[in-house]
Amino acid sequence: MAGGSSALMVAAAVALGGGLILVARRLMSSGSARSAASALMQGKTVIITGANCGIGRATAAELLRLQARVILACRDPEKAEEAARELREETGDSGEVLVKRLDLSSMASVRRFCQEVVRRKTAAKTHTQQVHVASTGYIGGLSTALQNAIDKPLMPEEPKLDVLINNAGVFQCPYTKTEDGFELQFGVNHLGHFLLTHLLIGLLKSSAPSRIVVVSSKLYKYGEINFDDLNSEKDYSRSFAYSRSKLANILFTRELARRLDGTE
């Protein structure tokens, strides 16, 4: 999105090891910068996927220190609750941290998570335009289950959602399929977040100015989108599949930014 009139900005955060957090800490090193950031984030609601470890956990800690309200969206509730307890201790109960279960390898789990954040109204009184997934190209014919999952209208229950950070991911795992039949890395790293973002976009827009952050990787440059084998059923490489999922993150972010250009 270009221009100062854009209230909803989409950012692709390319994660270079711990570089993302290191930059954030350096930017917040001065008292005046931290004070300004704290005033900006105080009371803001932030969802972070995969926030019980790694970059997601470090991001949650920084946001809590800025007095944000952080929702840890994680596959394993026990590990997430443990992380939440540790974060409360580390940050001195600054901000507010909550835990909600989210398994990005399951479209049903993504939908249940969003139903905890938003409440569905009577379908006759609402209308959500179905996203034509084929138009984004890199999903193509693989999208039947995804289209079925996103075709139900949802309306806000949470009063606001200020930031969505699509951070969770799996890395170079053996060939496995999600319960919906997608190759695991493509399904978790890209398709799960695609659906999550779609289901929460209405709440994000109504909470403007809001932000969507998509965490990718510099390994995206080694990926390509093979439309003849999107599910890696003909040929599978752990590293290539990961790189492709990270490239899909960036393509998704660019297209989303284009579609949201000029929104408030």
Side-chain angles (χ1 to χ4, degrees):
M1 285 184 187
S5 61
S6 299
L8 184 61
M9 180 186 74
V10 183
V14 180
L16 307 178
L20 183 68
I21 303 306
L22 178 60
V23 170
R25 285 177 176 166
R26 284 179 177 171
L27 289 174
M28 295 300 164
S29 60
S30 70
S32 59
R34 178 168 288 278
S35 177
S38 182
L40 180 66
M41 293 306 301
Q42 185 173 11
K44 300 290 187 182
T45 298
V46 183
I47 291 176
I48 308 175
T49 66
N52 63 293
C53 61
I55 290 174
R57 187 188 184 285
T59 302
E62 291 296 324
L63 289 170
L64 286 169
R65 291 187 180 97
L66 297 177
Q67 302 180 52
R69 179 174 178 264
V70 179
I71 298 174
L72 310 183
C74 304
R75 181 178 59 85
D76 189 325
E78 291 186 5
K79 291 182 179 179
E81 289 290 356
E82 181 180 356
R85 287 192 297 270
E86 293 173 353
L87 286 167
R88 292 185 188 103
E89 293 175 0
E90 292 173 17
T91 61
D93 288 324
S94 180
E96 180 184 3
V97 58
L98 302 87
V99 170
K100 290 185 182 293
R101 186 178 187 278
L102 171 64
D103 182 354
L104 289 161
S105 70
S106 165
M107 297 299 175
S109 177
V110 174
R111 178 163 289 280
R112 282 193 297 270
F113 174 86
C114 292
Q115 287 173 339
E116 291 183 18
V117 177
V118 298
R119 175 180 299 156
R120 189 186 309 156
K121 290 186 177 180
T122 305
K125 295 182 180 180
T126 63
H127 175 71
T128 299
Q129 182 178 5
Q130 182 176 353
V131 172
H132 297 288
V133 184
S135 69
T136 59
Y138 54 87
I139 295 177
L142 192 62
S143 63
T144 303
L146 188 62
Q147 289 190 28
N148 291 337
I150 66 178
D151 199 28
K152 297 179 182 178
L154 300 172
M155 296 297 287
E157 180 181 70
E158 279 272 339
K160 63 177 182 175
L161 174 57
D162 300 289
V163 184
L164 171 63
I165 302 178
N166 292 335
N167 164 77
V170 293
F171 179 71
Q172 298 191 7
C173 51
Y175 187 78
T176 311
K177 288 185 178 181
T178 70
E179 69 178 35
D180 301 288
F182 303 122
E183 185 275 313
L184 186 63
Q185 294 188 84
F186 195 68
V188 171
N189 299 353
H190 172 56
L191 295 181
H193 283 122
F194 178 97
L195 176 59
L196 179 71
T197 304
H198 172 73
L199 293 178
L200 296 177
I201 199 70
L203 185 55
L204 284 158
K205 285 182 176 180
S206 68
S207 305
S210 52
R211 301 290 184 266
I212 300 170
V213 179
V214 178
V215 179
S216 186
S217 165
K218 64 180 180 180
L219 293 177
Y220 83 90
K221 65 181 67 175
Y222 302 109
E224 63 179 52
I225 307 302
N226 182 357
F227 297 107
D228 294 324
D229 191 24
L230 283 175
N231 218 26
S232 300
E233 293 176 327
K234 298 176 182 177
D235 182 44
Y236 179 72
S237 161
R238 298 183 186 190
S239 58
F240 174 79
Y242 178 77
S243 296
R244 181 181 60 184
S245 72
K246 295 291 101 179
L247 175 59
N249 288 157
I250 291 176
L251 294 175
F252 165 63
T253 303
R254 288 172 63 89
E255 176 63 17
L256 187 60
R258 185 188 69 80
R259 295 189 182 203
L260 295 175
D261 189 21
T263 56
E264 297 181 354

